[in-house]
Amino acid sequence: GGGRWWGDKAPSHAMTQGAAARRRPAVSLGALVAVAAVLSCHWAPGAAGQNAAWRAPTPGCDATNSQASCCQRTWRAVRMGAQVSVQLRAEDPTPEANRPSFATTISLIPEESRPMNQSEGVCCGFANFTNLVGSNTGDPAILNTVWQTPRLDQVTEDTVPTDYCAAYSATYNGGNGACTKYVCYKLCIPPRFFFLTSFLPSPSWAEQGPSCGVGAGPGGTDAACLIRAPTPPGATTPTIVTYLQVSETPVSDPAAPFPLGVRVGETYTFTINIVCPDSTGHIEIIAVEDPGVPLGLEAAPTSYECAGAAVSACRTVTFTPRKGLAGTMHEARFIARNTPQAPSGICQPVESETLVVRLPVAAPEVAFTLPPTPTRFKELAIGAVYEEDFVCGGVNYDGQVRFLNMSFNGVTRPASEGMGGAVLTEVARTPSTLGSSHTVRFRHEATPQDSGGDRTWCFTCGDAGGIVGVAERDMRCLTLRTRLCEYAVVSGDTLNTLSRRHHVDTNWLRVWNANPSIPTPDHSLGEDRLVTFADSDGEKLQRFSAVRIGSVYAVKGGDTLGSLAGRFQTTVKRLLSVNPAVAASPGGL
């Protein structure tokens, strides 16, 4: 029946206590002594009788407690950090009517309780476990064992044994032992993320993550700090977060714009390194498909063995942000997996915590540092040369000055139609800590065709890569007005040389009359003709030598070109040549 472990018969000469009592009156004192001697010999340690038997819930025992099931070596998968409990039960299977009440004892066999791969030492509290497991005696005997395995982060060894077996004996009356019971444990060890190395192209910026301290991260210690984030509600696997960002103050709000980070168009390379103390397993790094990888992120096809590491794997990832991603945060998620090899089938593939690599893309910060005001207004004499520097500063990106358009007397022309005789020359590109500034020099020489008119040039300050749209760029506009009937002079000029060079009025007397400060017609014009003009803000900015070659007349109602030509003793053609703004005007006067 169910009380037997396997089919041994009870001894045929066994005597029950009831039978002995019934026969007592017919037995002599000598016979009683002989019977007592027989009984004493039968129940001596190791004497004939059924062996002790393992019983469920001893690992491996089936519903019938068969010898084959109970004596087999059993394996149990144990994850690192878990507490495993095992109960063993054994008893004397001899029918109670045929045996005295000897208790059964379950004991640990210390010399046979050890790691199976002993060469890698003893780890993970197994030595303490075997020391604490003693013995238990009873009818039946029940021994409860508890093994608290350490967390993975508490393991300091490079490799540790993964296979452990504890051996137990079950005996009664000091002998009659059951088979040795082996309860074996397979530690299912997940890999863990060890560090990240990263590389940013020049300029290389110190990186920092939350709670890492100054200088931490790839720029300081060549390893981005890994922060254990709170486990989200409903999640079963903790998350490790690393902030690969270039910022002195970590940015924790994923929705916030990020002024610092990886620049659009640049390739950021980082290598994920995992370690696993299980030397028997196959470890790999896997990119999590949900929610997917950011645009521009590429990982090496497979993991590879890290140089100089015992049990580790590495995977290299590159991230090249595209246009439209500036100022945004992106996440790439990875897990590490260990697939134990032997004994096969005990441990399923074990996965690590999730590594979340947060990748901020730097937002461009570009603005003009010179000129300081959005608009500038200057007045020039014909022949005067005006120069001014425009400086576009860039943070995170390289600043770039671009010519936008030009207007002449209210008519705007795009940059493709030229700058109306002006020239823009690159002066310098000055590197900064987080980008570079771009300096260009504007140069324009006023011509007679500009006389009386306003020319306006507009420039934008953006980034060299064109990430910032035209509408979002900083702008500066410069307006130059060419004064009527006024010519710039150089040292040594006289009224005669000036008239001949610019083909102006050959009547030097009229020119002299228009410039009463000139003492004689042959007087050398120079510093004494220095004229200062003010810009629209009243600031004295422009100084040049100039002379008037005629008076300026304010047109009145009824005036015509013909009437004015007669009044000033000239021709209509000549009036138009010195008044190009009038000639260009469809309405004439």
Side-chain angles (χ1 to χ4, degrees):
R4 294 176 180 265
W5 186 25
W6 64 84
D8 291 344
K9 295 182 179 180
S12 57
H13 56 273
M15 181 180 294
T16 65
Q17 294 178 354
R22 288 193 298 271
R23 296 175 57 184
R24 189 176 301 142
V27 179
S28 65
L29 180 61
L32 287 174
V33 172
V35 171
V38 172
L39 287 174
S40 176
C41 177
H42 171 68
W43 294 112
Q50 295 192 32
N51 292 333
W54 297 106
R55 294 285 186 258
T58 300
C61 290
D62 59 17
T64 64
N65 292 314
S66 67
Q67 179 183 9
S69 66
C70 289
C71 286
Q72 68 179 340
R73 186 184 298 252
T74 60
W75 285 91
R76 181 168 183 175
V78 182
R79 178 140 185 171
M80 294 293 289
Q83 185 183 81
V84 57
S85 301
V86 173
Q87 185 181 88
L88 298 98
R89 185 174 184 269
E91 64 183 15
D92 175 5
T94 305
E96 294 183 3
N98 300 331
R99 63 175 172 86
S101 57
F102 289 123
T104 302
T105 299
I106 301 176
S107 301
L108 178 78
I109 307 175
E111 60 273 15
E112 296 188 43
S113 300
R114 55 181 176 81
M116 302 301 292
N117 35 0
Q118 183 68 45
S119 60
E120 296 182 354
V122 179
C123 168
C124 311
F126 189 74
N128 296 332
F129 166 70
T130 54
N131 288 335
L132 292 174
V133 174
S135 61
N136 190 284
T137 301
D139 190 18
I142 298 175
L143 180 64
N144 292 302
T145 66
V146 178
W147 181 18
Q148 175 62 58
T149 63
R151 299 191 313 269
L152 182 60
D153 58 3
Q154 295 173 323
V155 177
T156 57
E157 296 86 349
D158 290 337
T159 58
V160 299
T162 56
D163 306 337
Y164 299 83
C165 287
Y168 299 92
S169 64
T171 61
Y172 68 88
N173 195 29
N176 303 93
C179 60
T180 300
K181 178 63 185 176
Y182 290 94
V183 180
C184 299
Y185 306 90
K186 172 73 174 180
L187 278 181
C188 304
I189 306 178
R192 63 185 175 92
F193 291 100
F194 188 50
F195 62 85
L196 274 77
T197 57
S198 64
F199 169 76
L200 270 174
S202 180
S204 181
W205 303 314
E207 296 185 328
Q208 181 173 338
S211 304
C212 289
V214 176
T221 63
D222 200 36
C225 60
L226 305 182
I227 306 300
R228 185 182 297 273
T231 303
T236 57
T237 304
T239 299
I240 294 177
V241 178
T242 179
Y243 286 76
L244 301 183
Q245 65 186 58
V246 284
S247 174
E248 294 181 358
T249 304
V251 182
S252 58
D253 182 6
F258 293 90
L260 301 174
V262 186
R263 298 191 289 192
V264 171
E266 282 189 340
T267 298
Y268 179 78
T269 303
F270 60 96
T271 299
I272 304 172
N273 179 290
I274 61 172
V275 294
C276 184
D278 181 3
S279 62
T280 67
H282 171 70
I283 58 176
E284 56 185 335
I285 302 168
I286 302 170
V288 179
E289 295 182 356
D290 188 16
V293 297
L295 291 174
L297 187 139
E298 295 183 0
T302 57
S303 308
Y304 56 89
E305 184 176 341
C306 303
V311 184
S312 64
C314 289
R315 193 169 185 184
T316 300
V317 183
T318 60
F319 179 48
T320 308
R322 304 176 184 178
K323 286 185 178 180
L325 301 183
T328 59
M329 170 71 85
H330 301 269
E331 289 187 352
R333 294 172 178 261
F334 302 89
I335 59 170
R337 178 180 295 163
N338 175 28
T339 304
Q341 301 299 304
S344 60
I346 298 176
C347 286
Q348 297 299 314
V350 191
E351 294 182 351
S352 69
E353 300 165 308
T354 301
L355 173 67
V356 180
V357 182
R358 290 185 174 168
L359 301 162
V361 182
E365 293 184 4
V366 286
F368 278 110
T369 57
L370 286 177
T373 56
T375 59
R376 308 276 280 176
F377 176 80
K378 307 294 174 61
E379 290 185 314
L380 301 178
I382 298 170
V385 175
Y386 180 80
E387 291 184 346
E388 182 162 5
D389 287 350
F390 289 77
V391 181
C392 174
V395 175
N396 297 325
Y397 295 84
D398 298 325
Q400 184 76 31
V401 180
R402 292 180 176 89
F403 169 54
L404 181 62
N405 57 45
M406 185 204 69
S407 300
F408 182 60
N409 291 336
V411 179
T412 301
R413 295 178 174 84
S416 59
E417 296 186 14
M419 297 183 63
V423 178
L424 199 64
T425 305
E426 183 162 337
V427 175
R429 180 168 292 281
T430 307
S432 62
T433 304
L434 301 177
S436 69
S437 61
H438 185 217
T439 302
V440 297
R441 181 161 296 155
F442 171 86
R443 186 180 189 276
H444 176 68
E445 181 176 352
T447 66
Q449 289 73 29
D450 298 328
S451 182
D454 291 349
R455 285 189 185 272
T456 301
W457 294 265
C458 290
F459 305 88
T460 62
C461 172
D463 64 283
I467 300 168
V468 181
V470 176
E472 290 77 33
R473 295 175 188 169
D474 196 13
M475 185 181 296
R476 291 290 185 269
C477 291
L478 169 65
T479 300
L480 297 181
R481 173 174 295 170
T482 304
R483 298 170 65 92
L484 281 168
C485 302
E486 190 168 283
Y487 280 75
V489 298
V490 296
S491 181
D493 269 347
T494 66
L495 291 181
N496 285 327
T497 59
L498 185 65
S499 300
R500 287 194 301 270
R501 185 169 67 248
H502 291 293
H503 307 288
V504 296
D505 197 334
T506 57
N507 189 335
W508 60 267
L509 185 60
R510 281 200 295 266
V511 176
W512 187 26
N513 290 333
N515 295 272
S517 61
I518 300 176
T520 65
D522 293 328
H523 181 77
S524 178
L525 306 176
E527 288 301 318
D528 59 333
R529 297 299 303 161
L530 196 63
V531 181
T532 300
F533 290 99
D535 67 0
S536 57
D537 298 324
E539 182 182 359
K540 294 182 178 180
L541 296 171
Q542 187 64 39
R543 295 166 61 85
F544 53 85
S545 297
V547 296
R548 291 187 178 278
I549 52 91
S551 59
V552 177
Y553 173 78
V555 177
K556 299 179 178 61
D559 284 343
T560 66
L561 289 174
S563 65
L564 292 179
R567 179 175 180 176
F568 291 103
Q569 300 177 11
T570 185
T571 65
V572 171
K573 183 179 179 180
R574 183 61 183 155
L575 284 177
L576 290 177
S577 69
V578 297
N579 291 276
V582 174
S585 175
L589 295 180

